[in-house]
Amino acid sequence: MKITLTKSERNWVLYDVGNSAFTLLIATIIPIYFNGLAESGGLSSVEYLAYWGYAASAATLIVALLGPVLGTLADTKGFKKPIFSLTLLIGLIGCVSMGLARQWLAFLIIFLIAKIGYSGSLIFYDSMLSDVTTEDRMDHVSSQGYAWGYIGSCIPFVICLIIVLGSGSIGISMPTAMTVSFVITALWWVLMTIPLFKTYQHKYYVEKQNNAVADSFRRIGRTFKNIRKEKRIFMFLLAFFFYIDGVYTIIDMATAYGSALGLDSTGLLLALLVTQIVAFPCCIIFGRLAARYPGDVLITICILAYLGIAVFAMFLTTQAQFWAMAVFVGMFQGGIQALSRSYFTKIIPAEQSGEYFGLLDICGKGASFVGTTIVSLVSQITGDISKGVGMIAILFVIGIILFRYSVKLNADVINAVKTKAL
C-alpha cells in the first residue's frame, strides 16, 4: 500500500536529508583528511585511530549528559524550535570552521564542537516525529526520513568528492578543497532545514512554568523516578544501549578503520557512497515491511545482521571485503535506526517525547561512547586494530537478548497502538 507523505511529514524528512550530508562527511572524507593531519603531526596509525575514537567518544558523552536537560526543556511550550535552532547553529558554525584548522589537535577540537551541535539537534528532531505524524504512520515516516537522508546526502557528497579528489586538476590545494567541502555541506544542511522551520508546530507539550529551566530539572527527576517504575521502557533503553553501540561505532569508525588498515582512500570513499545508495531502497523496504510484520521482529533481524557484520569486520583485510561490508551495512543501517525510533515513540507519552528522547540519546550516545572507547583502548593495548573491532560483536549479543525481553514487556502497549490505528 502506497502512503503519501503530508507536507509536515515531508518537511520533517527533509531535515534528515540535510543533516545526513554532515553525517556522511564525518563517516568518509573527514577521517581521511584527519589521517593526513595526524601523519603530518607524527602520529602512528594506531594513535590516529585511537585519538579519532576518543574525540567521537567525547562528543557523544557530552551530548548524552546534556540530552535529558535539553530534551526536557524542549517539551515546554514554545521552547523546542528555539533550542533546536541553537544546536543547529552550533553544528553549522563548527562544520564551516573545520575547514580553517591545519593542525590535528585544533581540528579535533572543532570537530568535537560541530558534532555536539549536530547530535544535539537530533534530540529535538527525533522528538518532533510525534508532532508531524500519527501513530499508525510512524514506522513509514521514520523510515522515509532515513531513506531520503541516505540518498539525498549523496548529492553534496559527490560534489565534495569531486572537488577533493580533483583538487590538483582544478588548481587548488587539498586544505582549500576541504574548506570548500565543509561550506557546501553546511549550506546543504541549512537549506534542507528551512521547510521544517516554516511548517513545524509543537502539538504535544507541557505548559510553560514561571521558571522553565528549574522546572525542567524537576521533571528530569520525575522522569528518572518513573523510568525505574516503567520497567518496559527501561528494558528497551537498556537493550538499545547495547545494540545501537555497534551500529554507531561502525558508522563513526568505518573509514578510520579502513584507513588504519592501509586500504586505498578513494576506494573507501566510493564504498561508503555505495552504502548510502544501498541504504535508500532497503530503508524504504523496511518501512513497508513494518506495515505487514511486527517492528520488533524486523529490529531483531537487523541486530542479528549487524552481529554478522561485526564478526566479518574482524577478518577484513582487502578492499573487496570492505566493499562487501559496506553493502551489508547499507542493507540494515537505516532499518534498525528508523524502526527503533518509531518503536520507542509508540511506547512513550507523546507530551513527554523530548525528555524521553533525551534519555534515549543518553543510551544511544552513551553506547557510542563505550563502543568507540573500547575499540580505541583495545587497539592501543593489543596493537591489533581487528581485536578492538571484534569487541563490538559481544555488545550485539547482549543487545538482542535484552531487546527480546523488552518486547514481551511492551506487548500490551504496542497492541493498544495497533488497535487504536484500526
Side-chain angles (χ1 to χ4, degrees), residues 334-352:
I336 195 170
Q337 290 176 304
L339 294 173
S340 295
R341 177 169 61 187
S342 56
Y343 185 87
F344 186 66
T345 304
K346 293 173 184 176
I347 65 175
I348 61 173
E351 69 279 3
Q352 295 174 277

Side-chain angles (χ1 to χ4, degrees), residues 34 44 94 100 143 153 155 159 174 177 183 224 229 285 291 296 397:
F34 175 66
S44 67
L100 306 177
S143 297
S153 63
I155 297 173
I159 296 172
M174 178 58 72
V183 172
F224 275 111
K229 298 176 183 177
I285 289 171
D296 61 271
V397 172

Side-chain angles (χ1 to χ4, degrees), residues 264-346:
D264 176 65
S265 297
T266 302
L268 293 178
L269 294 176
L270 293 176
L272 290 170
L273 178 60
V274 169
T275 297
Q276 301 297 109
I277 295 172
V278 171
F280 172 64
C282 289
C283 196
I284 291 177
I285 289 171
F286 271 109
R288 292 180 177 176
L289 288 174
R292 301 179 58 187
Y293 303 100
D296 61 271
V297 173
L298 298 175
I299 293 173
T300 301
I301 292 172
C302 290
I303 298 174
L304 288 172
Y306 260 103
L307 173 60
I309 290 169
V311 173
F312 179 77
M314 290 177 61
F315 305 98
L316 191 154
T317 57
T318 68
Q319 199 84 38
Q321 290 172 337
F322 189 89
W323 275 69
M325 185 180 74
V327 172
F328 293 145
V329 169
M331 291 172 63
F332 299 98
Q333 179 174 292
I336 195 170
Q337 290 176 304
L339 294 173
S340 295
R341 177 169 61 187
S342 56
Y343 185 87
F344 186 66
T345 304
K346 293 173 184 176

